[in-house]
Amino acid sequence: MENGVQEHQGAISHGDVLSHPSAGQTEGLKQDAGHAVLNSLLSGALAGAVAKTSVAPLDRTKIIFQVSSSRFSAKEAYRLIYRTYLQEGFLGLWRGNSATMVRVVPYAAIQFCAHEQYKKLLGGYYSFQGKALPPFPRFLAGSLAGTTAAMLTYPLDMVRARMAVTPKEMYSNILHVFARISQEEGMKTLYRGFTPTILGVVPYAGLSFFTYETLKKLHAEKSGRVQPHSYERLAFGACAGLIGQSASYPLDVVRRRMQTAGVTGHTYSSIMGTMREILAKEGLVRGLYKGLSMNWIKGPITVGVSFTTFDLTQILLRRLQQQGYFPQ
């Protein structure tokens, strides 16, 4: 449209009228935009579900260490996983994963869809529509996407954390968690730890999306291929997860402590108070960075699988639509 304006500026000055899109063209653009949003929602939902389910046992183990004062080590993590398997069976390793899915599916769908929309919005603002964004808008698009998703799905994250650290006799299902928290601790508890979550999401989502998009851009420039191979996407996502989660990890520990305070006997009430207590009792590395080494295994796998699944699902859905399997 901008090219059309530039090409016809001279003609307009002599009294000609610039043509506007017809009603049919406008409707087609709206349908294309609607398809793009729906595709990104579906792709994001699948990406989140596949990624989180693949690392659920490690995720549950990490949370248990984060909310306790026990010292973390690979040996102790293995013992905890094995003990969980003996006491609760193989599926016990995935306890809380149903709550995770209830949260992750809408979270990932919203995050990936929002990221695509923020990229378009910022691309138009910075005159980079259809091209790779400059570094700062690239980081900003990821941060805004993560913040949007976290704000809309936070209570589900609280429920998932509670289910991960409690025996199955305490909470029978997701609705039971909501009911007991509301009755015994108040509705405000569902948003306990919200501030450190948002503070952590900004660098985590921002750096994750920034790193992944930057690596894809550099790859295209160096290789001449617009689309990386699947294993290359996994590698880019793994790097993104490693950087993003390492940067925001202390706030993740604080968030988990505040979320589970009602069932661990602690009274964490503020971010700084929680940090001070963790530092005083457990130290910096063994406290605020407890379980980070496990996250260096889990995080890259999660983010790598998530980004790769999203991209490949997007490509598949577009091809199916072009072949007429979905209405145009």
Side-chain angles (χ1 to χ4, degrees):
M1 188 66 186
E2 288 177 359
N3 292 336
V5 173
Q6 291 171 356
E7 290 169 3
H8 290 84
Q9 276 178 341
I12 292 170
S13 65
H14 288 88
D16 291 344
V17 178
L18 181 66
S19 62
H20 294 282
S22 66
Q25 289 175 324
T26 303
E27 186 64 29
L29 290 173
K30 288 181 179 178
Q31 287 181 351
D32 288 342
H35 282 306
V37 170
L38 181 59
N39 284 358
S40 57
L41 283 170
L42 291 173
S43 301
L46 182 62
V50 172
K52 276 296 185 180
T53 301
S54 66
V55 296
L58 294 177
D59 209 21
R60 184 187 179 193
T61 303
K62 182 203 72 171
I63 293 174
I64 291 172
F65 274 103
Q66 281 183 329
V67 303
S68 72
S69 57
S70 303
R71 183 177 177 180
F72 175 84
S73 69
K75 188 176 182 180
E76 287 302 315
Y78 170 76
R79 284 178 175 172
L80 177 58
I81 292 172
Y82 185 63
R83 190 163 59 247
T84 302
Y85 167 71
L86 292 177
Q87 293 175 352
E88 302 181 33
F90 182 72
L91 293 179
L93 297 173
W94 273 264
R95 173 164 167 73
N97 194 52
S98 58
T100 301
M101 290 300 101
V102 171
R103 169 192 168 264
V104 162
V105 168
Y107 180 92
I110 293 168
Q111 180 176 239
F112 278 106
C113 182
H115 183 246
E116 295 298 306
Q117 298 307 308
Y118 283 129
K119 281 199 301 182
K120 290 179 183 178
L121 182 66
L122 292 170
Y125 182 79
Y126 286 95
S127 300
F128 275 80
Q129 197 70 49
K131 303 176 184 177
L133 291 171
F136 177 70
R138 204 179 306 154
F139 173 84
L140 184 59
S143 296
L144 289 171
T147 302
T148 301
M151 289 175 65
L152 294 174
T153 62
Y154 185 77
L156 297 170
D157 187 45
M158 158 68 90
V159 169
R160 174 256 184 153
R162 284 292 182 94
M163 290 190 74
V165 302
T166 55
K168 57 185 178 182
E169 294 79 15
M170 186 167 184
Y171 298 119
S172 57
N173 54 49
I174 298 168
L175 293 177
H176 190 207
V177 183
F178 274 110
R180 284 196 61 175
I181 289 176
S182 301
Q183 292 172 2
E184 298 173 6
E185 303 172 55
M187 292 294 291
K188 286 185 178 179
T189 303
L190 292 173
Y191 280 88
R192 183 181 291 161
F194 178 71
T195 302
T197 296
I198 296 299
L199 293 176
V201 159
V202 170
Y204 171 67
L207 287 171
S208 295
F209 279 106
F210 171 83
T211 303
Y212 186 70
E213 295 283 327
T214 300
L215 290 174
K216 284 206 304 182
K217 179 176 179 290
L218 293 173
H219 172 271
E221 292 172 353
K222 297 292 183 182
S223 68
R225 287 186 288 112
V226 177
Q227 297 295 345
H229 295 305
S230 297
Y231 66 86
E232 291 170 328
R233 294 180 195 274
L234 282 169
F236 299 160
C239 292
L242 190 64
I243 293 171
Q245 295 201 350
S246 296
S248 61
Y249 194 78
L251 285 165
D252 190 44
V253 174
V254 170
R255 169 175 65 123
R256 293 304 184 198
R257 294 292 178 98
M258 294 180 74
Q259 284 179 335
T260 58
V263 293
T264 57
H266 293 86
T267 55
Y268 302 119
S269 58
S270 67
I271 298 173
M272 294 308 299
T274 304
M275 281 190 169
R276 281 196 296 268
E277 186 170 337
I278 293 172
L279 287 170
K281 293 182 178 180
E282 302 166 53
L284 178 64
V285 176
R286 295 178 182 175
L288 290 177
Y289 285 92
K290 181 189 293 182
L292 179 59
S293 57
M294 178 177 285
N295 238 39
W296 283 343
I297 299 171
K298 182 188 75 70
I301 294 173
T302 305
V303 180
V305 170
S306 181
F307 279 129
T308 302
T309 303
F310 177 78
D311 280 354
L312 296 181
T313 306
Q314 282 273 82
I315 293 169
L316 175 63
L317 289 174
R318 289 194 195 107
R319 286 179 180 171
L320 290 174
Q321 186 178 333
Q322 290 169 359
Q323 293 171 8
Y325 287 97
F326 301 122
Q328 295 291 329

